[in-house]
Amino acid sequence: MAEKQPTIKEIAKRLNISISTVSRALHNHPSIGLKTKTLVQQLAQKLDYEPNQMAISLQQRKTFTLGVILPGLSESFFSSAISGIEEVANMNGYTVLMGQSHDDIEREKQLMETMKKHRVDGLIISITKNTKTFEHFEFFKKANIPVVFFDRIPDMNDINYVACNILSGTIKAISYLLKARHRVIGMINGPKTLVATAERRDGYMQAMQKNRLKFDPSLVFNCDLSKESVYEATQKLLSHSRKPTAIVTFNDYVAMDAMHYATQQNICVNKDLLFVSYVNLPMLPHLKFRPIASVEQYPFKQGQKAAQMLVELLQNKIENTERQMHYKIIIDSDLVIHA
């Protein structure tokens, strides 16, 4: 027969004090004196007492679980971000329930349902590249369950989010190329559904205007981030009447596909045609072909900040009261030169 686990009631009986006093002492409540607190905690340790998490959850109406939905852990960006999220969650006594949408909007919706069923206290999410409508977030809003978006931010009002300053990063990237005397610069941008796509384009425009140069929209092509669409965008740029001497790509993965296509066309990468990208993947130093520069987006830090924001929202949440204030954190980006 399994040995019965010690309870708060047993500790209270042995020390001849109330159950509520034991509970407060175990939680270091300031109303409990040091002597009583020490006696309770020492006996609890001696008996190998472990708190009943289910009872605590019922009492506090919390599951101490944070839901996290990411496009996919195969990208080192998101695996780094989840490490930052888990670090903060563990420090604050939360467990992470994670799901991968694989950039499938229907799977994203299913994962939202799963998070609801598991009664997560709050949600951190980076939306899919195909997310165009946001009705599936309404339940969380109505139920007063805080949601924090990061990196891939939806075009919505009144949301909490953490993001990198893509606009300033793009200005740095384009300015770097202009300083190197490149005047015809192509851009392989991302899906139009992503806010970051517009930010890249805006940064490109602002950098050109800042240097008193005309922005040519025909040198900007969108892709859905697949290899096929990147190849198509690269082919269009290479056959453009104003053939670019440098290309800025949506991220390092897009850059690698574009560089591969360029080499197939007998183009000497980063000599005949330069590439600048975003993310700054850890694998870049080990690649034969890599962008000459990358905009660092600090995924680990984004994950940390998103989790810290969510924990703070949960700690400050008032039951049955709709929060009027929303929070946003913009992390500065940096241009990392690889050449």
Side-chain angles (χ1 to χ4, degrees), residues 121-124 140-141 143-148 160 309-310 313-314 317 323:
D121 295 332
L123 178 69
I124 298 172
F140 285 78
K141 185 177 181 180
N144 197 28
I145 300 172
V147 176
V148 174
N160 308 297
M309 182 184 290
L310 185 56
L313 286 166
L314 289 168
K317 190 172 76 170
R323 293 178 295 107

Side-chain angles (χ1 to χ4, degrees), residues 25-279:
L26 290 171
H27 289 87
N28 290 310
H29 197 280
S31 66
I32 305 301
L34 179 61
K35 182 179 178 181
T36 301
K37 194 181 297 183
T38 301
L39 286 171
V40 170
Q41 293 179 357
Q42 285 180 344
L43 181 56
Q45 185 176 6
K46 181 180 178 181
L47 296 174
D48 290 326
Y49 166 77
E50 292 184 5
N52 186 327
Q53 194 60 51
M54 184 175 291
I56 294 173
S57 296
L58 289 171
Q59 183 182 25
Q60 299 187 14
R61 296 183 180 179
K62 289 184 176 182
T63 61
F64 296 95
T65 303
L66 304 182
V68 179
I69 300 176
L70 305 172
L73 288 177
S74 59
E75 291 190 23
S76 65
F77 179 92
F78 292 114
S79 60
S80 180
I82 192 65
S83 294
I85 292 169
E86 287 183 324
E87 180 184 271
V88 174
N90 291 337
M91 287 174 58
N92 288 276
Y94 286 90
T95 299
V96 172
L97 177 63
M98 195 202 71
Q100 301 179 73
S101 67
H102 298 297
D103 271 329
D104 182 337
I105 179 60
E106 292 306 317
R107 185 171 178 83
E108 180 176 272
K109 291 177 180 178
Q110 290 172 5
L111 287 169
M112 297 283 287
E113 289 294 324
T114 299
M115 298 299 174
K116 285 193 292 185
K117 290 175 182 177
H118 282 79
R119 300 178 62 195
V120 296
D121 295 332
L123 178 69
I124 298 172
I125 181 169
S126 188
I127 63 173
T128 81
K129 63 184 182 184
N130 302 311
T131 303
K132 299 176 183 178
T133 58
F134 314 108
E135 292 85 359
H136 48 300
F137 295 110
E138 285 302 311
F139 171 85
F140 285 78
K141 185 177 181 180
K142 291 176 181 177
N144 197 28
I145 300 172
V147 176
V148 174
F149 297 91
F150 84 99
D151 185 56
R152 295 188 184 179
I153 312 300
D155 189 12
M156 297 170 60
N157 296 321
D158 302 327
I159 60 172
N160 308 297
Y161 69 86
V162 176
C164 185
N165 194 331
I166 296 299
L167 186 74
S168 67
T170 305
I171 292 173
K172 292 174 185 176
I174 299 295
S175 298
Y176 168 76
L177 290 171
L178 291 173
K179 189 175 181 180
R181 300 185 181 279
H182 293 274
R183 291 297 179 266
V184 184
I185 302 169
M187 173 175 278
I188 303 177
N189 213 344
K192 292 181 180 180
T193 52
L194 298 180
V195 171
T197 297
E199 291 174 337
R200 283 164 169 77
R201 181 186 170 92
D202 290 346
Y204 185 1
M205 291 177 61
Q206 290 185 30
M208 296 298 284
Q209 292 167 356
K210 184 179 178 181
N211 287 275
R212 298 182 179 179
L213 295 170
K214 186 178 179 180
F215 169 70
D216 185 352
S218 71
L219 287 170
V220 179
F221 291 92
N222 293 91
C223 74
D224 64 7
L225 307 182
S226 68
K227 181 187 290 186
E228 293 74 22
S229 66
V230 173
Y231 279 11
E232 182 181 353
T234 309
Q235 187 275 326
K236 288 178 179 178
L237 282 171
L238 295 181
S239 60
H240 197 284
S241 57
R242 298 183 67 208
K243 189 173 180 179
T245 58
I247 296 176
V248 178
T249 65
F250 185 80
N251 60 32
D252 291 328
Y253 295 104
V254 172
M256 286 186 278
D257 286 337
M259 287 186 289
H260 183 259
Y261 181 86
T263 58
Q264 291 179 330
Q265 311 307 309
N266 297 317
I267 292 174
C268 187
V269 170
N270 290 337
K271 184 176 180 181
D272 301 330
L273 181 62
L274 271 61
F275 286 86
V276 172
S277 189
Y278 299 77
V279 178

Side-chain angles (χ1 to χ4, degrees), residues 10-18 22 36 39-41 43-44:
E10 182 179 344
I11 295 173
K13 185 177 180 180
R14 290 198 182 197
L15 295 176
N16 196 27
I17 56 178
S18 69
V22 173
T36 301
L39 286 171
V40 170
Q41 293 179 357
L43 181 56

